[in-house]
Amino acid sequence: MMTKQLRIRLSNEADEYLQELQEKRNIDSQSKTINEIILEHKHQNMVEEQTGYYTSMMTDQINQKIEKEMNKHFKRIQLGVNNTDRNSQVLLELMNGFMINNDVTHIMTTSDYESPTLATAKEEVNERIAHLQQRKAEHEKKQNQSQGGQA
């Protein structure tokens, strides 16, 4: 191994640390102690760089998995919204045709009067929603139980 001779000045604190380390590690010269400190510092920097690289890679992978999972949920929401929009447009067309066929020029709003048929329709829709929510809750409960049994 090639060596290079240097003349250096140290603070009292640095010199004391150097002597302590030399005694603790049972090193026979200050030069070897300084050399060991420098090599340890170099190694520590390499480890920190590698750790940063691996952390960055893991963060990227986690972000990709989260994005993939979120896209699945957004896709389901988008499909539901599209279906609702399509149904609303069909209803508007049907209502418009009904109004034209029956020569209806003015309407009474639900805030003025709610027909018994509308109340029945709202009740039916609410019951369907409640039933679907119950089925979803039961399905999720079964999934959680099956996952819990495997853990």
Side-chain angles (χ1 to χ4, degrees):
M1 167 168 74
M2 279 203 65
T3 60
K4 184 175 183 178
Q5 185 172 351
L6 297 174
R7 184 172 178 187
I8 62 170
R9 293 180 184 264
L10 299 175
S11 67
N12 287 337
E13 183 182 3
D15 185 49
E16 287 173 16
Y17 178 73
L18 187 62
Q19 288 175 15
E20 285 175 27
L21 196 60
Q22 185 177 346
E23 287 175 23
K24 189 190 315 184
R25 295 187 181 179
N26 200 23
I27 301 173
D28 61 1
S29 75
Q30 286 185 336
S31 294
K32 289 179 182 177
T33 306
I34 291 171
N35 196 51
E36 194 169 301
I37 291 170
I38 291 170
L39 292 177
E40 284 176 4
H41 184 267
K42 179 181 178 184
H43 177 74
Q44 182 63 34
N45 283 341
M46 286 174 34
V47 167
E48 287 175 7
E49 286 176 12
Q50 287 176 345
T51 301
Y53 173 74
Y54 291 127
T55 301
S56 176
M57 279 181 44
M58 287 183 356
T59 302
D60 288 346
Q61 288 177 352
I62 290 169
N63 285 339
Q64 287 173 2
K65 286 182 180 184
I66 290 172
E67 183 178 349
K68 183 178 179 182
E69 201 58 36
M70 294 303 292
N71 282 340
K72 278 196 261 181
H73 293 291
F74 287 139
K75 184 70 172 175
R76 289 181 63 198
I77 291 169
Q78 184 181 19
L79 291 173
V81 168
N82 288 346
N83 190 39
T84 301
D85 184 46
R86 192 171 27 259
N87 289 340
S88 296
Q89 289 179 38
V90 168
L91 285 172
L92 284 172
E93 292 298 326
L94 288 171
M95 289 304 299
N96 187 53
F98 179 81
M99 297 296 187
I100 290 171
N101 277 346
N102 290 308
D103 202 27
V104 176
T105 56
H106 293 82
I107 64 166
M108 185 179 294
T109 64
T110 55
S111 57
D112 293 331
Y113 175 75
E114 184 176 286
S115 71
T117 54
L118 179 59
T120 302
K122 283 182 177 181
E123 187 177 312
E124 174 64 22
V125 168
N126 287 336
E127 286 176 12
R128 279 187 204 159
I129 291 171
H131 178 70
L132 289 173
Q133 287 174 338
Q134 180 65 31
R135 284 181 49 197
K136 181 180 177 184
E138 289 172 1
H139 177 72
E140 288 175 355
K141 184 178 178 183
K142 285 180 185 177
Q143 275 188 325
N144 289 339
Q145 286 175 346
S146 68
Q147 289 174 355
Q150 294 175 354

